[in-house]
Amino acid sequence: MKKLIMIMITLSLAVVLAACGGDDGDSGDSKKDKDNAEEKQDGQASKQQEMPKPNLKGVPDVVAKVNGNEITKKEFESTYKGQFQQMAMQSQMSGQKLDQDKLKKQTAESMVGTELLIQEVNNRDFKASQKEVDNTLKELAQQNQLKSKDKFLSALKEQGMKEKEIMSQVKQRVKMDKLIAEESGDIEPTEKELKKAYDQFKSQQEQMNKNSKDGKGGEGDIPSYDDMKSDLKSQVKRQKEAKATQKIVDQLREKADVTINL
């Protein structure tokens, strides 16, 4: 599927947002705490109503061509809406205006990169075993804070995807992982990298606690390195994969015939 990476990102985001939506936060016994919670909910509802809509006017029927393969308007719109949802929420939180023209170009570039990767994967004739597919599904479930691959599949189906389509994309993901591994070598995080990531996390948390209005929280609330090691390993590995992937895309782009019509 041409939309492989962006679809996975979009659907992963949707699953995470759904999970976050179920978190009501702390509740107090006093009327004041209750009123504050209700005001917060009203504010969130108001923000939700003010959420801007994606502007898809003027998008051409063929958004881009990559070595003769077309990225269609329909494919672009599907991916853009997912990206827009994420960026619009960030824009509301930061108070900065969302530049949709810039986001459209970034989305088109991302889709071009995805298409280049898929073409390269197909050229190399990688295989994906059922065991590798199952392991990837488990990893995706874990990344989205879901307990099993079955729950992850159910979440994707709720987003309107059919199981055959999901499996096709996961197989493509497995093959893409093989391409990245072959091109980038060993990207397994080192102990030094994990400790650096933990120190950064700890520093950020300490700063947040220091800046908190009520003064609550502190070093005692920060998980230990050992408790976070598994999550840190996944985080650092994804960062290294992303860096390696971008390097591959840049190399493929240099010799590719690409036209973007936005």
Side-chain angles (χ1 to χ4, degrees):
M1 299 290 293
K2 292 182 179 179
K3 300 178 288 182
L4 172 67
I5 292 178
M6 298 312 298
I7 281 180
M8 284 297 184
I9 291 173
T10 300
L11 293 178
S12 295
L13 171 67
V15 173
V16 171
L17 289 176
C20 291
D23 184 2
D24 293 328
D26 296 332
S27 60
D29 294 329
S30 68
K31 184 177 184 301
K32 183 178 179 181
D33 289 339
K34 184 177 179 182
D35 290 343
N36 287 339
E38 288 176 351
E39 288 175 6
K40 184 178 180 181
Q41 289 175 353
D42 291 341
Q44 289 174 339
S46 177
K47 283 184 178 181
Q48 186 66 27
Q49 292 173 357
E50 296 169 3
M51 178 76 75
K53 295 181 180 180
N55 179 7
L56 293 166
K57 292 181 180 179
V59 175
D61 292 337
V62 177
V63 173
K65 281 189 178 183
V66 185
N67 295 325
N69 288 1
E70 295 181 350
I71 295 175
T72 66
K73 178 179 180 179
K74 183 178 180 181
E75 291 169 333
F76 175 83
E77 289 182 347
S78 176
T79 301
Y80 181 75
K81 287 176 182 177
Q83 290 294 92
F84 176 83
Q85 181 186 21
Q86 180 183 15
M87 298 307 296
M89 295 185 78
Q90 290 182 7
S91 176
Q92 281 190 327
M93 292 176 66
S94 66
Q96 295 180 341
K97 187 176 180 181
L98 175 60
D99 186 339
Q100 290 207 49
D101 289 337
K102 183 178 180 180
L103 182 59
K104 285 176 189 175
K105 292 177 181 178
Q106 290 174 339
T107 302
E109 287 288 349
S110 295
M111 294 185 75
V112 166
T114 300
E115 176 62 26
L116 287 168
L117 288 170
I118 291 172
Q119 289 180 13
E120 186 67 14
V121 164
N122 292 336
N123 288 339
R124 303 214 189 175
D125 196 30
F126 289 108
K127 305 295 182 184
S129 68
Q130 188 58 48
K131 183 178 180 180
E132 290 169 329
V133 169
D134 289 340
N135 287 338
T136 298
L137 282 169
K138 289 177 183 177
E139 289 176 5
L140 289 169
Q142 184 179 21
Q143 289 172 17
N144 288 282
Q145 301 176 0
L146 296 172
K147 294 181 179 180
S148 68
K149 67 174 185 178
D150 291 334
K151 289 188 179 294
F152 180 68
L153 288 171
S154 296
L156 293 182
K157 288 176 183 177
E158 287 175 6
Q159 302 297 323
M161 294 185 69
K162 296 180 180 179
E163 187 164 349
K164 185 177 180 180
E165 180 184 6
I166 296 169
M167 290 304 177
S168 174
Q169 291 195 23
V170 174
K171 285 180 180 178
Q172 194 73 281
R173 167 74 177 258
V174 171
K175 295 175 183 178
M176 206 167 289
D177 287 344
K178 290 184 176 183
L179 170 65
I180 294 168
E182 186 174 284
E183 288 297 314
S184 61
D186 185 15
I187 57 173
E188 197 67 22
T190 64
E191 193 73 14
K192 183 178 179 181
E193 290 171 330
L194 293 178
K195 288 184 177 179
K196 181 179 179 181
Y198 177 73
D199 288 342
Q200 290 175 341
F201 166 80
K202 184 178 178 181
S203 177
Q204 289 171 353
Q205 288 298 115
E206 289 173 343
Q207 188 62 42
M208 287 174 64
N209 291 335
K210 184 178 179 181
N211 294 337
S212 62
K213 293 181 180 179
D214 57 12
K216 293 180 180 179
E219 202 164 324
D221 298 310
I222 301 173
S224 68
Y225 171 72
D226 289 336
D227 288 339
M228 287 195 64
K229 191 170 183 178
S230 178
D231 289 338
L232 288 169
K233 187 175 181 180
S234 297
Q235 174 190 324
V236 173
K237 188 173 181 178
R238 287 198 298 270
Q239 290 173 346
K240 294 179 80 171
E241 285 175 344
K243 188 174 181 179
T245 301
Q246 188 58 55
K247 184 178 179 180
I248 296 169
V249 169
D250 291 342
Q251 291 172 344
L252 294 172
R253 184 71 186 263
E254 286 180 3
K255 55 185 179 181
D257 181 10
V258 176
T259 303
I260 297 178
N261 299 319
L262 285 178

